[in-house]
Amino acid sequence: MSCLSRRQSLLALLISGCFTLSAHAAPVLISNIKGYGFDDQRQLLSFSELVFDDATGKVLARGQGIAKDYPTASKIDGQGRTLLPGLIDGHGHVLGLGQNLSQVDLRESSSEAQAVTKTAAFAKANPQAQWILGRGWNQVLWPSQQFPGKQLLDEVIKDKPVWLSRVDGHAGWANSKALQLAGISKDSIDPPGGQIIRDANGEPTGVLIDNAMLMLEKQIPAINEAERVSALNAAFAHLLSLGITSTHDAGIDAANLATYQQLREAKQLPLRLYPMLSATDPALGNWLKAGPIDDPLDFLDVRSVKIYGDGALGSRGAALLAPYSDKPKEKGLLVTQPDKLTAVMKLTIDAGFQANVHAIGDYANQLALDRFESLQTDAQRKAGRHRIEHAQIVAPKDLPRFAVLHVLPSMQPTHATSDKNMAGDRLGVARLRGAYAWRSLVDDGNRIVGGSDYPVELANPFFGIHAAVTRQDQQNQPAGGWLPEQKLTLVEALRSFTVDAAYGAFQDQAMGSLAPGMWADFILVDRDIVKVAPEQLWQTKVLATYVGGELKYQFRE
């Protein structure tokens, strides 16, 4: 940002009544704040003043009474607001979020019929759409708790294909037109790692699980570059409004990476990205040969691969060691078979990339841990900072292995509060001892990489911090929290969305703590989250977001 445009941004803050401004020049002093950051031992510390370099975008100092050391600094009066390190979402899907913002949103649907009504209204309002696309339905929250079917969709939309992803992205719901275009019929065979849900007569109901979804999704017209950029920019703006200054993008294809590189070259990335290359992309081999991308300004660092282990719990695609309690003949699905999983993990690790394995069920987690143990020495694993994405259901005997093997659990707290009404049915009481086990993992010495898995869950990181601390939903249910023995403290939860998420991307020396020498990525919020009642944490509102000292978002009434 030029000196003039930076002045204009700060002037906008002055006009809004949020801050007061004096003549602007490097360095910049923000005072009259309740500031929080971390020291080199990851301990929380407070300060009332923060100074950053306007030219480099890095923190110069923080503390109390440091203004006298910077007599020529431009000054911003924070008016008593709380200042936090910029929040890092350790597991999201940026393009999916951007696309979701322009598709039918079924997250609040209370029944199959209501979801159909919303879809029909969206189709009527978007007559130019070739396909009617949406996301967010969750049959567990419906009175029937049963998967939907194609019949109601067919009654309202016959002439266009409809494809509606389940909230977790591991199942989809189609009308007959979409099934016809995909060639899915009574005679179709379930692909490995996937399932076509059928009725009593063997006819497809319209619901496809995991790898079966690919049979239909390959028929959906690919987005063009302009549509991709538009969706990404919508996602960037949304994330910045929530105080997210950096995000790990969990599984991108070659086209998405190319767009990121073009935006980075044009200096058009407004926040920091840590993309994981998709292990299923045909270009994986070429990516690995080319080696990691290390951006000295940390806007686009690429050194990890997203590897797919199993499906999700809600659709019974999570791979379990023993059958589902509510479906005794099913153990879930392995999206990648064991031998292939070994080969892909070895290929990734041998190329010097971080291996980030999606594993939700206890069987998938055990498979991943076994392979991390066999493929590298202790020292190599510690240096590799490999991750298990979700680490949701873990056999109690396997929980200590995360710390022993230096494998990072990358977890999303709002999954627990979303799944609390379903997980017990799927797993039974005994297996819940290793489910969503944040406290157990932290007590073993693990750093948890915190995230949301947006757009599966809402991207707001304060929803995740609230869920981690209270183990409750936003209606403060259940009383005392669900599996309350697994609660985190506020400081531990904040670490997971700052310094520990940065560690999970090899960026802990560059961001996450607001220590001198690190990027001046910070946010101003409307309450002191360290002192506020825990049940109010989710209500925190972001007032301003800065990346490298540049104002990227400002709240306006």
Side-chain angles (χ1 to χ4, degrees), residues 472-528:
Q472 292 177 321
D473 60 27
Q474 291 166 13
Q475 287 72 48
N476 300 317
Q477 295 298 319
W482 182 65
L483 304 177
E485 66 276 8
Q486 295 295 344
K487 290 178 182 179
L488 297 183
T489 68
L490 183 280
V491 172
E492 290 166 341
L494 184 58
R495 278 184 193 139
S496 74
F497 282 91
T498 54
V499 290
D500 290 350
Y503 181 87
F506 304 89
Q507 295 171 331
D508 49 310
Q509 299 303 307
M511 66 186 78
S513 70
L514 287 179
M518 294 194 177
W519 297 117
D521 298 350
F522 60 89
I523 61 175
L524 291 150
V525 299
D526 69 341
R527 67 198 66 200
D528 185 343

